[in-house]
Amino acid sequence: MTTRRTFLFRLIPAAGLAVAAGSSFAAGPEKASETDPTAAALGYKADASKVDKAKFPKYAAGQACSSCTLYQGKAGEAWGPCPALANKLVAAKGWCSAYAKKG
Ligand code: SF4
């Protein structure tokens, strides 16, 4: 007889495997969502022109992820991973308040 408890114990490792399989077969990191709590706290916008300039006065026109020291994308690519947002993909034309100009 399968009790509810043994059923759950069988289900949990299966779910773990599904998650592991999903991450190894995924097409790459997902895009960062502007509404993700970390992204929202940093004021991340995939389009830098949409940055809330009243809330983030440090934003200056021309700043973008592609010129940020944290941006991991290759030159010319539209998206690249960013460690400030859990290595999710951020837009080359995006911006957040952790912006630090490449030296
Ligand atoms: Fe873009 Fe830099 Fe902010 Fe990452 S830390 S989202 S690369 S501005």
Side-chain angles (χ1 to χ4, degrees):
M1 187 180 116
T2 304
T3 63
R4 185 179 156 77
R5 179 175 258 252
T6 56
F7 175 72
L8 281 177
F9 275 118
R10 284 184 199 152
L11 198 65
I12 291 165
L17 271 179
V19 169
S23 56
S24 56
F25 292 114
E30 59 181 299
K31 288 181 182 173
S33 161
E34 294 175 0
T35 53
D36 170 89
T38 309
L42 290 172
Y44 168 72
K45 294 288 177 197
D47 178 349
S49 70
K50 305 250 164 66
V51 167
D52 184 342
K53 294 161 190 88
K55 206 168 168 189
F56 300 101
K58 71 172 265 190
Y59 170 75
Q63 293 180 346
C65 293
S66 58
S67 64
C68 174
T69 188
L70 292 174
Y71 185 67
Q72 307 290 308
K74 295 188 184 87
E77 284 185 355
W79 298 83
C82 172
L85 295 179
N87 285 317
K88 287 184 180 167
L89 298 176
V90 297
K93 293 178 180 163
W95 187 89
C96 90
S97 61
Y99 176 84
K101 192 170 168 51
K102 260 182 206 156

